[in-house]
């Protein structure tokens, strides 16, 4: 039920209301908007899952459906509307 576009900055705002994040990447897969979010600790991930599962980014839409990833890290190439790496602010914004 994605009504409004989801950006990395938007997800940062939502998740950082609960816990700090290190990285976020958004992408489209099988016609759905998905994202990967890396937290500082597994406890932070669990807290985000507990507090945000099923919550809406906007009133009655853009519902968060959260699950744990099998990935141990996220590779971020650019800091822009699709991805953000707070551990490396020197990353470029992307190709021109």
């Amino acid at each position: 039920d994605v009504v409004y576009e989801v950006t990395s900055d938007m997800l940062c705002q939502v998740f950082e209301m609960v816990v700090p994040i290190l990285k976020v990447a958004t992408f489209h897969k099988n016609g759905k908007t998905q994202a990967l979010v890396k937290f500082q600790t597994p406890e932070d991930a669990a807290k985000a899952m507990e507090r945000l599962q099923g919550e809406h980014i906007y009133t009655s839409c853009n519902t968060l459906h959260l699950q744990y990833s099998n990935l141990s890290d996220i590779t971020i190439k650019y800091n822009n509307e699709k991805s953000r790496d707070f551990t490396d602010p020197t990353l470029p914004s992307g190709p021109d």
Side-chain angles (χ1 to χ4, degrees):
D1 66 334
V2 175
V3 176
Y4 302 105
E5 181 181 1
V6 177
T7 66
S8 63
D9 290 335
M10 176 192 311
L11 289 174
C12 290
Q13 289 177 4
V14 170
F15 281 95
E16 288 189 337
M17 289 188 304
V18 179
V19 293
I21 64 170
L22 299 178
K23 301 177 182 182
V24 60
T26 62
F27 55 95
H28 296 280
K29 183 176 178 182
N30 299 326
K32 294 183 179 185
T33 300
Q34 297 186 23
L36 293 169
V37 180
K38 176 152 178 100
F39 299 94
Q40 292 181 0
T41 66
E43 293 80 17
D44 284 348
K47 187 174 181 180
M49 179 82 78
E50 178 183 314
R51 297 270 307 276
L52 295 173
Q53 181 67 272
E55 293 294 327
H56 303 287
I57 296 175
Y58 296 103
T59 304
S60 300
C61 65
N62 287 52
T63 306
L64 294 171
H65 301 284
L66 308 177
Q67 64 184 44
Y68 291 104
S69 172
N70 293 326
L71 300 175
S72 60
D73 200 7
I74 306 169
T75 301
I76 304 292
K77 295 180 181 178
Y78 306 113
N79 282 325
N80 58 28
E81 71 279 349
K82 293 185 179 184
S83 59
R84 186 121 355 244
D85 183 344
F86 293 103
T87 67
D88 188 357
T90 65
L91 288 175
S93 61
D96 294 331

